Amino acid sequence: MKLSFLNETQTVCKDTIISDINSCETSWLKEFRLSALDQTSLQPFPNRKSEHWKYNDISFLRDRTLSIFTNDVNREELIQKFGLSIEELNVCLFVNGKYIANDSSAFFDKAIKVTPFSAADKSQQDLIADRFVNANQNRNIFIPLNSALSQDGVLIEIEKGKTIERPIYLLHINQQSSIDSIRSSQVVIECGNNSQCEIIEHFASQNELTRKTDESINLALQHSLINLNKNSHCKHSRLNLEDDDSSQISRLRISLDKNSSLKSFFYSQGSQLSKTDIDISHQGEHSESQLIGIYLPSDENTVDYHTNIEHRVAHCTSREIFRGIIADSAKATFSGKIHIFKDAQKSDAQLNNKNLLLTNQAEINTKPELEIYADDVICAHGATIAKIDQQAIYYLQSRGINEMTAKKMLSVGFINELLEKIENPQLLAILTQQVNACLADIK
Amino acid sequence: MLRIDNLQAKVEEKDILKGLSLEVKPGEVHAIMGPNGSGKSTLGYVLSGRDGYQVTGGSATLNGDNLLDLDPDERAKKGLFLAFQYPVEIPGVSNMEFLKASVDTVRDYQGKPPLNTVSFMKLAREKCQAVNLDPNFLKRGVNEGFSGGEKKRNEIMQMMLLEPRLCILDETDSGLDIDALQVVADGVNACRDENRSFIIVTHYQRLLDYIVPDRVHVLSEGKIIKSGGKELALELEEKGYSWIEKA
């Protein structure tokens, strides 16, 4: 099965996707995918003339033929390989976008129901369809393309009134292929009324199984839709820890109903292309969101976070802090928008982005943005770009600390405050280790 | 200990030090006084190796080692300490983490093993108390949100922890109230011994009531134009700098 990005006028070679969809055995899912495919035709292949893609050069995807990549895997083997403790986590495993089902239903907490789209009953089908309709599928071509390509998705439902003790851990392993390839996955999570849970989305590459050539493109599309129902509370994190030569275009949308709360954490070290669109939608009054993000691209990697926080109703609070350290010739883009709708009086929204450039070649494009249609709101936004403070380096040096260590201390110091906000101790330990390893070879 | 010979230095093409010579023997305390813009702070920066301060002539050695060829951290390891007039704030790096890294590096250079966290904490708390700083300061960012007086006391605390051979205090007394001045002076006096030397840069004679110097020098236009005993400071206080400059 081949999928071609040909040129600007003929973006996707449809027939190849259609034949894949036709092999789908679940009729509603087939319909769902076909309708998504229809939507792709409404969208042009993005180029840098559009604001959203201005700082992402995806022209390397053009004129390439991407195969839909699948591979047989052994679930237990992977779980062992990634050192996952199934006693401590509710593990959902995705390999090359495909959900690898559990053999044992006792695997998950009782209050969690995990259903592949292909096994969804009528009411679940309606729920899934409804979530996608509400998710602004038309934002860009990759969102409907993801749905069209994804052979199956997963619906995770958390029972109302329940507190899930073990984090729900979604591990997406993308195996690198020696040929140009694409994989896609989609997840819908429903947090029932009055429920509490922690969700960890982890994106990893696996290189051992196949030998990858430098030239091949390994593109992953990903789409997560999380719905927080009334008075539900969710801690969430999304960790992009893929290899440098992987590419990801992904989208996360979290919708908050009345009195619900979200604490979300993002981490990326970048890759050939690492683009995450984050949409947070406050749909119910008195809902609260907190987004914290750290990005540390180095070498020639890129990172792109596009965030959009919607205050659709009154009395909601949002906090967003992203910080990046850009090393070598890496490139980062941060776009943060707060959108206050007309009826969203008493909204309280704050957004802040700070960047540290370690070299003259490092690049950051940052754009904080407010769009406000209500008149009784508190909104603040700001962005800074700085180089490492030479006076601070000298101060540390004057106390015996060498320049390299001083730079490292200052860099870690720049993001320490954000790391400290991670509440899960295991997650904090993993990320502290990642950060230290990432900043270890600062020159 | 320290020998400076005909030292010349410039900052951004402007000559600041114009042939300064000074010798400080082990255990001595030297005070350097002088009007604004005479090069007092520059001397400290040049000796500690600050970027942008270019040496154009002369020499400076610490216990026989040529200081001017070394990176700032190497100079610190060899026992040079500069207490800054305006210590920088470094948010995100805790005082504790900073001090531990600093003490470990210097100890490592001296061939001593690093202190374990418990004994380091104990030592750091002790030194905090000695300069009347709340030990909770150790948890905060380096100098972050410290008052002027707290920053200066933090400098003295670092000096006590690092136990350097030569300490340069750059206007440590400026902006201090009388009580804080006493605390700083007590800290310095506690560190005085026959192997440790001090250069105290100050505008005012007042500090020298608390830290009694062996020698007093007057710096003007990049040179030492007069040297004397502690009574020179009193004379300066009375008559101002102009009587020497004119002479």
Side-chain angles (χ1 to χ4, degrees), chain A residues 136-156:
Chain A
N136 302 328
Q137 285 273 54
N138 294 323
R139 176 67 58 78
N140 70 60
I141 189 172
F142 293 102
I143 297 175
L145 184 60
N146 185 45
S147 288
L149 283 170
S150 177
Q151 291 169 343
D152 206 348
V154 168
L155 170 67
I156 300 173

Side-chain angles (χ1 to χ4, degrees), chain A residues 354-371:
Chain A
K354 286 186 180 174
N355 299 282
L356 194 60
L357 296 176
L358 294 182
T359 67
N360 289 333
Q361 290 74 42
E363 183 179 326
I364 170 74
N365 300 289
T366 174
K367 191 173 81 170
E369 204 181 345
L370 296 177
E371 201 171 320

Side-chain angles (χ1 to χ4, degrees), chain A residues 408-427:
Chain A
K408 196 180 156 187
M409 283 176 82
L410 293 175
S411 301
V412 174
F414 185 72
I415 50 172
N416 240 348
E417 207 183 310
L418 304 191
L419 281 175
E420 281 166 7
K421 291 188 195 279
I422 298 174
E423 292 172 17
N424 180 332
Q426 282 124 322
L427 194 60

Side-chain angles (χ1 to χ4, degrees), chain A residues 362-385:
Chain A
E363 183 179 326
I364 170 74
N365 300 289
T366 174
K367 191 173 81 170
E369 204 181 345
L370 296 177
E371 201 171 320
I372 303 174
Y373 298 100
D375 54 13
D376 184 12
V377 299
I378 301 172
C379 277
H381 71 326
T384 62
I385 301 168

Side-chain angles (χ1 to χ4, degrees), chain A residues 28 32 113 115 117 120-135 154-158 187-192 225-229 253:
Chain A
W28 86 270
F32 177 80
K113 195 153 90 186
T115 316
F117 285 5
D121 63 25
K122 185 68 182 75
S123 68
Q124 288 174 318
Q125 291 169 17
D126 292 346
L127 179 80
I128 293 164
D130 181 61
R131 293 303 171 237
F132 277 93
V133 166
N134 286 332
V154 168
L155 170 67
I156 300 173
E157 292 164 287
I158 292 144
V187 181
V188 175
I189 302 177
E190 280 293 306
C191 300
L225 297 169
I226 302 176
N227 195 35
L228 304 183
N229 284 293
R253 183 178 192 271

Side-chain angles (χ1 to χ4, degrees), chain A residues 3 11-12 14 17 21 29 31-44 46 53 132 135-151 182 184-186 221-223 249-251 277:
Chain A
L3 163 70
T11 51
V12 176
K14 267 191 181 178
I17 308 178
I21 294 176
L29 190 57
E31 287 305 312
F32 177 80
R33 292 177 65 186
L34 282 171
S35 113
L37 185 63
D38 275 349
Q39 293 185 50
T40 61
S41 61
L42 304 172
Q43 302 286 329
W53 296 91
F132 277 93
N136 302 328
Q137 285 273 54
N138 294 323
R139 176 67 58 78
N140 70 60
I141 189 172
F142 293 102
I143 297 175
L145 184 60
N146 185 45
S147 288
L149 283 170
S150 177
Q151 291 169 343
I182 188 167
S184 66
S185 70
Q186 48 193 1
L221 303 180
Q222 207 279 328
H223 196 184
I249 299 175
S250 66
R251 199 266 186 133
D277 286 1

